[in-house]
Amino acid sequence: MTDTAFTDFVCNAHPQPDSANIIQGDRWRICLLTDALVRFEWSDTGHFEDHVTQTVLNRDFGRHVERTVTQRDGRIVIDTEHLHIDYDGKPFSKEGLCVVVKHISSTQFNTWHYGDKTNGNLKGTARTLDEVNGSRKFGQPLEMGDGVISRDGWAVLDDSTSNVIVLADEANGKPNPFGSWVSPRDKGCIDLYFFGYAHRYIEAVQDFYRLTGPQPLLPRFAFGNWWSRYYRYTQSEYLALMDRFKREGIPFTTSVIDMDWHLVDGIDPKYGSGWTGYTWNSDLFPDHVAFLDELHRKGLKTTLNVHPRDGIRAFESAYPKAARRMGVDPASGETLEFDLTDPDYMDAYFAMHHDMEAEGVDFWWLDWQQGGVTRQPGLDPLWILNHMHYLDSGRDGRWPLTFSRYAGPGSHRYPVGFSGDTVITWESLAFQPQFTATASNIGYGWWSHDIGGHMFGYRDDELEARWYQLGAFSPINRLHSSNSPFSGKEPWNYTGDVRASMTASLRLRHAMLPYLYTMNYRAAFEGRPIVEPMYWQSPDTWASYEYPDEFRFGTELIVAPIVSAADRKVARGRADLWLPQGEWFDFFDGRRYVARGVDGRSITAWRALDRMPVFARAGAIVPMQRLGEGSEVNSVANPSAMQVLLFPGATGEFTMREDDGVYAHAAAGRTADTQLRWQWHEGASGHADESTVFTVDPVCGDGADAAPQSREWTITVRGVARPAPGPLESCAHVTVGSKTVAVSPSDIAYDEAAMSLTLTVRDVPTRQQMRVVFTDGLRIAQNPVEQDCYEILLHAQIQFLAKEKALTAIREEGVHAIGSFAAINRGPRFDGDFLTVDLPESVVSALEEVLLRS
């Protein structure tokens, strides 16, 4: 190894705490990292650990922590703005060490005594969903690790058993080509980090990132659709499949090749199973280099699945070179045993991977499933694989990326996460949104799930469509399925509305790349994962905790997936959700929802198979791209054709962030930034400074050259009424730079169904400002209550007489019809029951949603 990635990891950290923030005795040490984050150490030897550990990188936050320290009756009492610490100076005990979290009145459990159970913890995530159906494994609830936030105001991160990472020229008696190594730490140590942030959840997670390292930037292609299947594809079959996706207009950016790329069968039994392998199966892939080249030509990056447990065996094509590197005679056939504590083996191991990368492999799927034991006490093989592979993947200026399982706190540094083999059930779908959201409580923001489900379970077309919808609004959207001949997830394996919905979800995901990539920068530089639980921004509102499968998706959107089968009578799926105080607009059709009270509003939303509940805040700006066609369908280039969704009701800003694809530039913040500004005023005021205006500022930033020279902008304002009568083109005044741009009738349209006004402006130089002024003003549209109720009743699978009575009540009484619905069920009964009127509860609920939206 000649690259410095492994030494840089250690040298760029700041593990030494500021001595001014330390209070200590002979065998104890208390370090105040902030006024709410404290490190408690006990050492039997009196030696305290100041190296980087597997979890912790930085203990100097560059700030002096104000506090008072007093000693009273042999006890040390420390007060900060947010904590009251009381310690007896002895080995840690429940009686001897406690912390009171200040500024929290909603719990009686805001005092922590050493060893207390974390009953109020809002949880983090788990290593894998293998063998988990819904939230249960073998009938028992899945054990979720703790996060760093709690309804009781405190959480504890135990780093006592972490190994340390040190600079080392030698490791285990051998020269160390990596420059740093993971070594055991002293025994007899207790090393705890106490997070006492009360309900300041966002601040707690951001300081967790300061302690353990930020989420890294992901490459742009990672946010497109990933195709994955455990299946024995041939080279020609796989390429033909990718071609069909293109013909169907379905974009993919990442090919995930499961284990059958390598030799699996026909291996001499003396070597064991074919689960581990590094030699391409030439029967399936007669020219694997050409195969990888062709995938690249089609716009796809490639990752290969590896199970490294069984080492490098003599039948592998890479064996002779690896054996010589380890001083083993290749003629001996001696297995090169998988040993993560042997620098010789790891050097040979990575050299083998480098050779395959030179042939076209872009990154690796590390599918470790074989427990947590190495030859070094306390060293988890999954963690060290993630750590070393991720650092190695970034050598020589490459954009680092791995795909692997979660290995405990700090794993967010090694994305992307593989959550394991998902069982195909509604229960599994229902658990994934919650599982994804709580992972952010431990900083793990880039989960990739088996969208659509992987194995077992059953065929349910509606389930697949709903899972694809969740995938479109997931951190990473990776489809996956088993090798069953019946489990292929291609949309054309489904019919009608299901196929259309699946295709639309995949196309929407790719269209959202500009929004997703901007959230990538927000995650890396601001410590805000793309998926956040609802309680992060509303911690003192009880309802925000009660809908765990609802989440914020970036800065502009709230998503409430439909995770149960549709009610047949109303012919729609249901999502129970909560909206914070304010105005919200349906992402797809612009319908307006109002939550007037300070505690927000709980509603039940019903949606047909073509969409799920997604809400944009008033004033939201969602930058998207127009999809390419033909050979460009998979493109992840900074787009020259933009599509921006705007939502009325408030003024907003959004800075779209792009880069040139060079990791060093991106990591240094050398970006192309385009500020989008939306100035909203209801209706025409007659004053130029109170117009409704959308502005695209000139691209700026150290990386501005990464933006295309010009762009086409399609601007869609959702949820507004059609402008005043007359030609639509007269409602907008467009300037680019100092020039006025004429709006032609073909460039502007109004969609009644989506209540959306759309305007296209072509050939806008990115170095000039574009300004769109809606001269006659825009007004929020009135929700089409009667029309939407009619649509519900039209498709409801209920009696015609019930439909007629309900519609009549709505037309005559409006919102007050809700009081009549119960009475409708008391209709006439004669000549049997064929005239009995039944308005089911689900239909009533769907009608109430429409009648009460605003």
Side-chain angles (χ1 to χ4, degrees), residues 334-360:
E334 176 187 342
T335 293
L336 308 180
E337 186 177 354
F338 179 73
D339 184 358
L340 290 159
T341 66
D342 182 348
D344 286 347
Y345 176 80
M346 294 309 296
D347 192 41
Y349 172 85
F350 280 118
M352 174 180 64
H353 286 78
H354 297 168
D355 289 343
M356 288 188 280
E357 290 169 21
E359 295 178 332

Short mmCIF file of all heavy atoms in Angstrom, two decimals, residues 334-360:
data_model
loop_
_atom_site.label_atom_id
_atom_site.label_comp_id
_atom_site.label_asym_id
_atom_site.label_seq_id
_atom_site.Cartn_x
_atom_site.Cartn_y
_atom_site.Cartn_z
N GLU A 334 -1.79 -24.36 -0.37
CA GLU A 334 -2.19 -23.99 0.99
C GLU A 334 -3.18 -22.84 0.95
O GLU A 334 -2.95 -21.81 0.29
CB GLU A 334 -0.96 -23.59 1.79
CG GLU A 334 -1.26 -23.11 3.20
CD GLU A 334 -0.03 -22.57 3.91
OE1 GLU A 334 1.10 -22.87 3.45
OE2 GLU A 334 -0.20 -21.83 4.91
N THR A 335 -4.29 -23.00 1.65
CA THR A 335 -5.28 -21.92 1.70
C THR A 335 -4.71 -20.72 2.43
O THR A 335 -4.09 -20.85 3.48
CB THR A 335 -6.56 -22.41 2.41
OG1 THR A 335 -7.19 -23.39 1.60
CG2 THR A 335 -7.54 -21.25 2.64
N LEU A 336 -4.92 -19.54 1.86
CA LEU A 336 -4.55 -18.30 2.52
C LEU A 336 -5.72 -17.92 3.42
O LEU A 336 -6.74 -17.41 2.98
CB LEU A 336 -4.27 -17.21 1.49
CG LEU A 336 -3.27 -17.59 0.39
CD1 LEU A 336 -3.07 -16.43 -0.58
CD2 LEU A 336 -1.94 -18.06 0.98
N GLU A 337 -5.54 -18.22 4.68
CA GLU A 337 -6.64 -18.11 5.63
C GLU A 337 -7.06 -16.66 5.84
O GLU A 337 -6.23 -15.76 5.96
CB GLU A 337 -6.22 -18.72 6.96
CG GLU A 337 -7.34 -18.80 7.99
CD GLU A 337 -6.89 -19.49 9.26
OE1 GLU A 337 -5.75 -20.00 9.30
OE2 GLU A 337 -7.69 -19.52 10.22
N PHE A 338 -8.36 -16.44 5.86
CA PHE A 338 -8.91 -15.11 6.09
C PHE A 338 -8.55 -14.68 7.51
O PHE A 338 -9.01 -15.26 8.50
CB PHE A 338 -10.43 -15.15 5.91
CG PHE A 338 -11.11 -13.83 6.16
CD1 PHE A 338 -11.00 -12.80 5.25
CD2 PHE A 338 -11.87 -13.64 7.30
CE1 PHE A 338 -11.63 -11.58 5.48
CE2 PHE A 338 -12.51 -12.43 7.53
CZ PHE A 338 -12.39 -11.39 6.62
N ASP A 339 -7.71 -13.66 7.62
CA ASP A 339 -7.25 -13.20 8.93
C ASP A 339 -7.10 -11.68 8.89
O ASP A 339 -6.12 -11.14 8.36
CB ASP A 339 -5.92 -13.85 9.29
CG ASP A 339 -5.46 -13.49 10.70
OD1 ASP A 339 -6.16 -12.70 11.38
OD2 ASP A 339 -4.39 -13.98 11.11
N LEU A 340 -8.08 -11.00 9.47
CA LEU A 340 -8.10 -9.55 9.45
C LEU A 340 -7.03 -8.94 10.35
O LEU A 340 -6.82 -7.72 10.31
CB LEU A 340 -9.47 -9.06 9.90
CG LEU A 340 -10.61 -9.32 8.91
CD1 LEU A 340 -11.95 -9.29 9.61
CD2 LEU A 340 -10.58 -8.29 7.80
N THR A 341 -6.36 -9.76 11.17
CA THR A 341 -5.32 -9.24 12.06
C THR A 341 -3.92 -9.44 11.48
O THR A 341 -2.93 -9.10 12.12
CB THR A 341 -5.39 -9.92 13.44
OG1 THR A 341 -5.07 -11.32 13.31
CG2 THR A 341 -6.79 -9.78 14.04
N ASP A 342 -3.83 -9.97 10.25
CA ASP A 342 -2.55 -10.24 9.60
C ASP A 342 -2.34 -9.22 8.49
O ASP A 342 -3.03 -9.26 7.46
CB ASP A 342 -2.56 -11.66 9.03
CG ASP A 342 -1.23 -12.03 8.37
OD1 ASP A 342 -0.39 -11.14 8.16
OD2 ASP A 342 -1.06 -13.22 8.04
N PRO A 343 -1.39 -8.28 8.63
CA PRO A 343 -1.20 -7.27 7.60
C PRO A 343 -0.77 -7.87 6.26
O PRO A 343 -1.07 -7.30 5.21
CB PRO A 343 -0.14 -6.34 8.18
CG PRO A 343 0.54 -7.14 9.25
CD PRO A 343 -0.48 -8.08 9.79
N ASP A 344 -0.05 -8.98 6.27
CA ASP A 344 0.34 -9.63 5.01
C ASP A 344 -0.91 -10.10 4.25
O ASP A 344 -1.03 -9.89 3.04
CB ASP A 344 1.26 -10.82 5.27
CG ASP A 344 2.66 -10.40 5.66
OD1 ASP A 344 2.98 -9.20 5.48
OD2 ASP A 344 3.43 -11.25 6.15
N TYR A 345 -1.81 -10.77 4.97
CA TYR A 345 -3.02 -11.25 4.30
C TYR A 345 -3.84 -10.07 3.78
O TYR A 345 -4.32 -10.08 2.65
CB TYR A 345 -3.88 -12.10 5.24
CG TYR A 345 -5.17 -12.51 4.57
CD1 TYR A 345 -5.19 -13.58 3.69
CD2 TYR A 345 -6.35 -11.79 4.76
CE1 TYR A 345 -6.35 -13.94 3.01
CE2 TYR A 345 -7.52 -12.14 4.10
CZ TYR A 345 -7.51 -13.21 3.22
OH TYR A 345 -8.66 -13.55 2.55
N MET A 346 -4.01 -9.03 4.60
CA MET A 346 -4.84 -7.91 4.17
C MET A 346 -4.24 -7.20 2.98
O MET A 346 -4.97 -6.71 2.10
CB MET A 346 -5.06 -6.94 5.34
CG MET A 346 -5.87 -7.53 6.50
SD MET A 346 -7.43 -8.30 5.97
CE MET A 346 -8.33 -6.88 5.34
N ASP A 347 -2.92 -7.13 2.92
CA ASP A 347 -2.28 -6.50 1.76
C ASP A 347 -2.54 -7.33 0.50
O ASP A 347 -2.86 -6.79 -0.57
CB ASP A 347 -0.79 -6.36 2.02
CG ASP A 347 -0.11 -5.46 1.00
OD1 ASP A 347 -0.70 -4.41 0.64
OD2 ASP A 347 1.00 -5.78 0.56
N ALA A 348 -2.41 -8.65 0.61
CA ALA A 348 -2.68 -9.52 -0.54
C ALA A 348 -4.16 -9.47 -0.91
O ALA A 348 -4.52 -9.48 -2.10
CB ALA A 348 -2.26 -10.95 -0.21
N TYR A 349 -4.99 -9.43 0.09
CA TYR A 349 -6.45 -9.38 -0.11
C TYR A 349 -6.84 -8.13 -0.90
O TYR A 349 -7.59 -8.20 -1.89
CB TYR A 349 -7.10 -9.40 1.26
CG TYR A 349 -8.58 -9.16 1.32
CD1 TYR A 349 -9.50 -10.20 1.13
CD2 TYR A 349 -9.08 -7.89 1.64
CE1 TYR A 349 -10.86 -9.98 1.22
CE2 TYR A 349 -10.44 -7.67 1.75
CZ TYR A 349 -11.33 -8.71 1.53
OH TYR A 349 -12.68 -8.49 1.63
N PHE A 350 -6.32 -6.98 -0.49
CA PHE A 350 -6.68 -5.76 -1.20
C PHE A 350 -6.05 -5.70 -2.59
O PHE A 350 -6.66 -5.18 -3.53
CB PHE A 350 -6.31 -4.54 -0.37
CG PHE A 350 -7.31 -4.22 0.70
CD1 PHE A 350 -6.96 -4.25 2.03
CD2 PHE A 350 -8.62 -3.91 0.37
CE1 PHE A 350 -7.89 -3.97 3.03
CE2 PHE A 350 -9.57 -3.63 1.35
CZ PHE A 350 -9.21 -3.67 2.67
N ALA A 351 -4.84 -6.23 -2.73
CA ALA A 351 -4.23 -6.26 -4.06
C ALA A 351 -5.10 -7.05 -5.04
O ALA A 351 -5.24 -6.68 -6.22
CB ALA A 351 -2.82 -6.86 -3.98
N MET A 352 -5.69 -8.14 -4.56
CA MET A 352 -6.59 -8.93 -5.40
C MET A 352 -7.80 -8.09 -5.81
O MET A 352 -8.22 -8.10 -6.98
CB MET A 352 -7.04 -10.17 -4.63
CG MET A 352 -8.09 -11.02 -5.31
SD MET A 352 -8.54 -12.47 -4.33
CE MET A 352 -9.27 -11.70 -2.87
N HIS A 353 -8.36 -7.36 -4.88
CA HIS A 353 -9.50 -6.51 -5.20
C HIS A 353 -9.11 -5.40 -6.17
O HIS A 353 -9.88 -5.04 -7.07
CB HIS A 353 -10.11 -5.93 -3.92
CG HIS A 353 -10.89 -6.92 -3.12
ND1 HIS A 353 -10.29 -7.87 -2.32
CD2 HIS A 353 -12.23 -7.13 -3.02
CE1 HIS A 353 -11.22 -8.60 -1.74
NE2 HIS A 353 -12.41 -8.19 -2.15
N HIS A 354 -7.91 -4.85 -5.99
CA HIS A 354 -7.47 -3.79 -6.89
C HIS A 354 -7.37 -4.29 -8.33
O HIS A 354 -7.70 -3.56 -9.27
CB HIS A 354 -6.11 -3.24 -6.44
CG HIS A 354 -6.15 -2.60 -5.09
ND1 HIS A 354 -5.00 -2.25 -4.39
CD2 HIS A 354 -7.19 -2.24 -4.28
CE1 HIS A 354 -5.34 -1.71 -3.24
NE2 HIS A 354 -6.65 -1.71 -3.14
N ASP A 355 -6.89 -5.51 -8.48
CA ASP A 355 -6.80 -6.07 -9.83
C ASP A 355 -8.18 -6.18 -10.48
O ASP A 355 -8.34 -5.91 -11.68
CB ASP A 355 -6.12 -7.45 -9.79
CG ASP A 355 -4.64 -7.37 -9.47
OD1 ASP A 355 -4.07 -6.27 -9.61
OD2 ASP A 355 -4.06 -8.40 -9.06
N MET A 356 -9.18 -6.57 -9.70
CA MET A 356 -10.53 -6.67 -10.25
C MET A 356 -11.13 -5.28 -10.51
O MET A 356 -11.88 -5.08 -11.46
CB MET A 356 -11.42 -7.49 -9.31
CG MET A 356 -11.08 -8.98 -9.34
SD MET A 356 -12.25 -10.01 -8.43
CE MET A 356 -11.67 -9.75 -6.76
N GLU A 357 -10.77 -4.32 -9.68
CA GLU A 357 -11.23 -2.95 -9.92
C GLU A 357 -10.62 -2.41 -11.22
O GLU A 357 -11.29 -1.67 -11.96
CB GLU A 357 -10.86 -2.06 -8.74
CG GLU A 357 -11.67 -2.36 -7.49
CD GLU A 357 -11.11 -1.67 -6.26
OE1 GLU A 357 -10.37 -0.68 -6.41
OE2 GLU A 357 -11.41 -2.13 -5.14
N ALA A 358 -9.38 -2.79 -11.51
CA ALA A 358 -8.75 -2.35 -12.75
C ALA A 358 -9.49 -2.90 -13.97
O ALA A 358 -9.43 -2.32 -15.07
CB ALA A 358 -7.28 -2.78 -12.78
N GLU A 359 -10.21 -4.01 -13.78
CA GLU A 359 -11.00 -4.58 -14.87
C GLU A 359 -12.38 -3.93 -15.01
O GLU A 359 -13.08 -4.20 -15.98
CB GLU A 359 -11.17 -6.09 -14.65
CG GLU A 359 -9.88 -6.88 -14.71
CD GLU A 359 -10.09 -8.36 -14.43
OE1 GLU A 359 -11.06 -8.69 -13.70
OE2 GLU A 359 -9.29 -9.17 -14.94
N GLY A 360 -12.76 -3.10 -14.01
CA GLY A 360 -14.01 -2.39 -14.16
C GLY A 360 -14.98 -2.46 -12.99
O GLY A 360 -16.07 -1.90 -13.07
#
